Amino acid sequence: MKVLKFGGSSVRDHHNIKKVLEIITKKSQEDKLAVVVSAFGKTTDNLLKSADLAQGKNEEYLAILNEVEKHHYETIEQLDLKNSSDVIEHVNLQFNQLKTLYKGCYLLEELSPKAKAVISSFGERLSSYIISEAAKIKLNATFKNSQDLIVTDDNYLKAQVDFETTYSNCSTFFSENSHQVVILPGFIAKCYNGQTTTLGRGGSDYTASIYAAAIHAEELQIWTDVSGMFTANPSIVKQAKPIQHISYEEAMEMSHFGAKVIYPPTIQPVREMKIPVLVKNTFEPEQAGTLIALNSDKSSPVKGITYVENISLLTIEGSGMVGMSGVSKRLFEALSDDEINVILITQASSEHTICVGVLEEDAQKAVKSISKKFNNEIDQHKIDPVVIESELSIIAIVGDNMKNHQGLSGKMFSSLGKNNVNIRAIAQGASEKNISAVIKRADAKKALNTLHEQFFGDNIKQLNLFVTGVGNVGNRFLAQLHQQKDYLQTQLKLNIRVIGISNSTKMYFDEEGVDLENWKELLLNKGESTSLDSFLNKAKQHNLRNSVFVDNTANEEVSKMYQHYLENNIAVVTCNKIACASELNNYKTLKKVSSKFNAPFLFETNVGAGLPIIDTLKNLIASGDRVHKIQAVLSGSLNFVFNNFNDNVTFHDIVAKAQEEGYTEPDPKIDLSGVDVARKILILARESGYELELSDIENNSFLPQESLNTINNEEFYKSLTKFENHFQDIYAQANSQNCKLKYVAEFENGKAKVGLQHIPSDHPFYNLEGSDNIVLFFTDRYPIQPLQIKGAGAGADVTASGIFADVIRIANN
């Protein structure tokens, strides 16, 4: 014989009930069945809600009760039972009794546990009777009230079962039963004096387990709306996977710590009788589901990751606790006396501190209980007043085989730490079946996804990007991400998602990842108004693991936001040079904040676009080398300009062409004034370990002062036309000496300068073509023949590829 249990979602309406009847019909052809059913979906919640309203003299309770009644009669009609006078009469009687109970609550303004148990029992009483009558149409079925079989104590709302009497009743009934199918209500029972009791919310699972154990069933099947137990809550962790095989102990741990597929007490009765439990999906019955049995599959040490929401942490500490016997006993006595369930316990080995985790709804009651119990010690300052922390969650990894694998707790805590998930308390039993941590409730989603990626991610790491600036560079960056998506996943095991994008006026977010094929349309048509603060706040609200802010602008105000991102454990990748070339104290602060909050701050494209200049320099310094001198051509735009400028073209036209092809900043004066190059050599000097300010860089500009004083691009370009002879003279002078013009940055002996130079034919810079950059590092290890890096140093594509490379560096960190 098998026991099948169908939850509230499985019997929510007539459509679902018909699916249930199909499953029962099929299963009954193979075995005799005991079928336990819950109330129609949300019925018990509505019954209790209306009872609370009635107690409060709020006549809205009638509207809720009428909706419940209407739903049941509509279900009767849709199940072809509307012509059955017995069914209508029975259901009428039930609702009349229910209305009488509500009327009493309303008049007396009282809702005792006893009354609450009776009211909440009506959902199962109604659903099981209606479903049994529908089953009788085609099946050899009967109805049996669980209150005739399951006997409990008089704890009305969470009754304790008298197993000896209950098992005897069940054995007698089922041995005498001749029907192929018996339909029974879950959740409800009776105490010794015949009064209605309930087995706790979710108790229908428990009911089915009791029957399975009582009759030594071949199997207990729990039919619900998910395909078994998952490695994590699939509504929070999209990558969660069904668990095919799990042990009783693992299932109990997971259900205790928030896995809502099974009511926690369910496992114990079937475990004692070694009866397997199969969790199945009513709506996808062909899915394998999860088998819960004595032993589990040992292939993975961690079977699941789960959590409990709305936890408060109570801390009891004081020097008077050290060496004092009986403190723990008195503490837990106080909580037990007020029926407060302790979910987590942790105690310092010094006995100076005990922390307990309780449900948030019980927290204030728990504080009063503990304070009362230890009133004398608190008054004498032997024990401090109870400290309460709320808005917490408990997150746990579970697995029978964890004890045989070293380093799991290290992996757990290091992965949480890298994502700035602060741990308030830790609990781990000696059996090592469960490692639990108390964290902020706001971090629960990030923590679940972080741990799932760590233990079940198939080595695929997910990065979540927030991208601001979608002009030339940003556009190419997003295009490269889209183009390389499959390669990243298959070859590098990376899933890089763009969660948010913004330009100067609009922003658009999608937590599942922005469609990079249509991001322009989405930003234009569905984007909302943006600001620097609102984009930051959105990124913080998403609170996703491995978050990265990508700045593709040259905007000073955007650069001022970096510290805020880093302080929220959001890495920063930028091609914007302003932050790293700002005041030295700000540069140092960004470095310190990056380190403190474990949030990488990468800016490879600040110098040389996609060339690995800064990364190479960092490796030199990290390995103990020292930089003495740097010579470089660091402006791809200026190199492009002077490689193409001659006496046959105007300087104005060449600069305009450089801007048109994306080699210059939006304001080309930044490049041509030498400010951009000064910033770059400043960054290299700082990364070499020298403390310089931008004002320390000697800038020998070739632009006339009038050009430098212009306030917009239009005026700037007019000035270039006006001073064409000046630029032609510069060219002619270099040409007469068989030299080329190069804008060179130099750093030596702690001093730096930038300016236009005549480069002879035997110099390494002479043959630098197009928009290429070149850097020569003279160091302890490269004193005569410098370390040379050369290549394309400007342009949207190469800059985007440099940003892309920094994102990959973060992923590989």
Side-chain angles (χ1 to χ4, degrees), residues 110-330:
E110 182 181 337
L111 183 61
S112 67
K114 181 178 177 180
K116 200 177 243 188
V118 175
I119 287 171
S120 62
S121 74
F122 275 85
E124 272 75 11
R125 289 162 62 180
L126 286 161
S127 66
S128 58
Y129 174 77
I130 293 169
I131 291 170
S132 69
E133 291 299 310
K136 289 176 184 178
I137 296 174
K138 294 183 179 180
L139 296 170
N140 177 19
T142 189
F143 169 78
K144 182 63 177 176
N145 190 343
S146 292
Q147 293 177 302
D148 298 335
L149 302 175
I150 300 177
V151 179
T152 70
D153 64 9
D154 60 359
N155 185 350
Y156 294 103
L157 296 176
K158 202 168 184 180
Q160 299 299 307
V161 176
D162 177 345
F163 284 100
E164 184 177 350
T165 305
T166 297
Y167 283 0
S168 177
N169 291 343
C170 293
S171 179
T172 300
F173 169 75
F174 283 103
S175 64
E176 296 175 354
N177 169 61
S178 60
H179 293 85
Q180 191 71 7
V181 178
V182 181
I183 310 290
L184 307 107
F187 177 60
I188 62 174
K190 279 187 180 178
C191 62
Y192 304 112
N193 61 10
Q195 297 293 326
T196 295
T197 60
T198 61
L199 303 180
R201 296 305 303 272
S204 291
D205 287 353
Y206 192 25
T207 303
S209 179
I210 292 167
Y211 288 142
I215 63 177
H216 300 280
E218 177 188 343
E219 184 177 69
L220 168 61
Q221 296 182 3
I222 305 289
W223 290 81
T224 181
D225 56 0
V226 293
S227 298
M229 299 186 79
F230 279 67
T231 49
N233 187 332
S235 65
I236 297 175
V237 180
K238 302 304 181 185
Q239 293 78 28
K241 308 167 185 177
I243 305 171
Q244 292 188 347
H245 196 179
I246 193 171
S247 73
Y248 294 123
E249 285 78 9
E250 289 168 333
M252 281 193 291
E253 291 281 359
M254 289 188 68
S255 61
H256 176 71
F257 279 91
K260 297 177 181 177
V261 176
I262 290 184
Y263 180 54
T266 302
I267 302 298
Q268 192 58 39
V270 289
R271 177 178 177 268
E272 288 182 359
M273 301 296 178
K274 298 180 181 178
I275 297 167
V277 181
L278 185 60
V279 183
K280 297 276 286 181
N281 190 336
T282 303
F283 310 105
E284 295 181 359
E286 70 285 352
Q287 294 291 322
T290 299
L291 178 65
I292 304 171
L294 187 61
N295 298 308
S296 73
D297 175 15
K298 304 292 185 184
S299 61
S300 174
V302 177
K303 276 300 171 64
I305 302 158
T306 186
Y307 79 117
V308 185
E309 288 185 292
N310 303 323
I311 294 295
S312 288
L313 192 66
L314 309 182
T315 302
I316 304 95
E317 64 180 329
S319 58
M321 291 171 57
V322 179
M324 184 190 297
S325 61
V327 172
S328 298
K329 173 180 176 291
R330 293 170 62 199

Side-chain angles (χ1 to χ4, degrees), residues 496-507:
I496 300 180
R497 308 185 308 168
V498 176
I499 305 300
I501 52 175
S502 74
N503 56 24
S504 59
T505 58
K506 285 189 173 185
M507 63 182 180

Side-chain angles (χ1 to χ4, degrees), residues 694-766:
L694 186 60
S695 58
D696 296 327
I697 312 297
E698 181 184 342
N699 185 353
N700 301 310
S701 178
F702 64 89
L703 288 177
Q705 191 61 44
E706 185 175 326
S707 297
L708 291 171
N709 292 338
T710 57
I711 59 174
N712 55 48
N713 284 1
E714 183 180 358
E715 288 186 9
F716 180 69
Y717 276 111
K718 285 181 179 178
S719 75
L720 298 186
T721 301
K722 178 178 179 180
F723 292 103
E724 178 63 25
N725 289 337
H726 167 74
F727 301 120
Q728 289 293 342
D729 288 344
I730 292 174
Y731 169 76
Q733 188 177 359
N735 192 48
S736 67
Q737 299 174 19
N738 294 319
C739 291
K740 289 187 177 180
L741 290 168
K742 301 294 178 184
Y743 203 87
V744 177
E746 293 181 294
F747 172 77
E748 189 172 9
N749 297 324
K751 295 183 179 180
K753 63 180 180 179
V754 298
L756 200 59
Q757 294 186 13
H758 293 174
I759 302 298
S761 58
D762 59 348
H763 196 281
F765 295 171
Y766 185 83

Side-chain angles (χ1 to χ4, degrees), residues 446-457:
K446 177 164 69 171
L448 280 167
N449 280 277
T450 296
L451 293 178
H452 195 274
E453 182 176 86
Q454 178 69 53
F455 293 108
F456 300 102

Side-chain angles (χ1 to χ4, degrees), residues 638-708:
L638 282 171
N639 202 43
F640 176 88
V641 166
F642 286 110
N643 277 338
N644 290 279
F645 178 54
N646 54 52
D647 51 7
N648 295 319
V649 294
T650 67
F651 194 72
H652 169 283
D653 290 348
I654 291 299
V655 173
K657 185 178 180 182
Q659 183 176 20
E660 182 183 335
E661 296 192 13
Y663 292 127
T664 72
E665 300 285 355
D667 177 3
K669 187 171 66 174
I670 294 174
D671 295 285
L672 272 69
S673 66
V675 170
D676 186 60
V677 177
R679 286 172 176 162
K680 291 176 180 179
I681 195 64
L682 173 65
I683 293 168
L684 292 182
R686 286 177 172 177
E687 289 296 301
S688 299
Y690 295 88
E691 296 189 350
L692 274 73
E693 298 283 4
L694 186 60
S695 58
D696 296 327
I697 312 297
E698 181 184 342
N699 185 353
N700 301 310
S701 178
F702 64 89
L703 288 177
Q705 191 61 44
E706 185 175 326
S707 297
L708 291 171

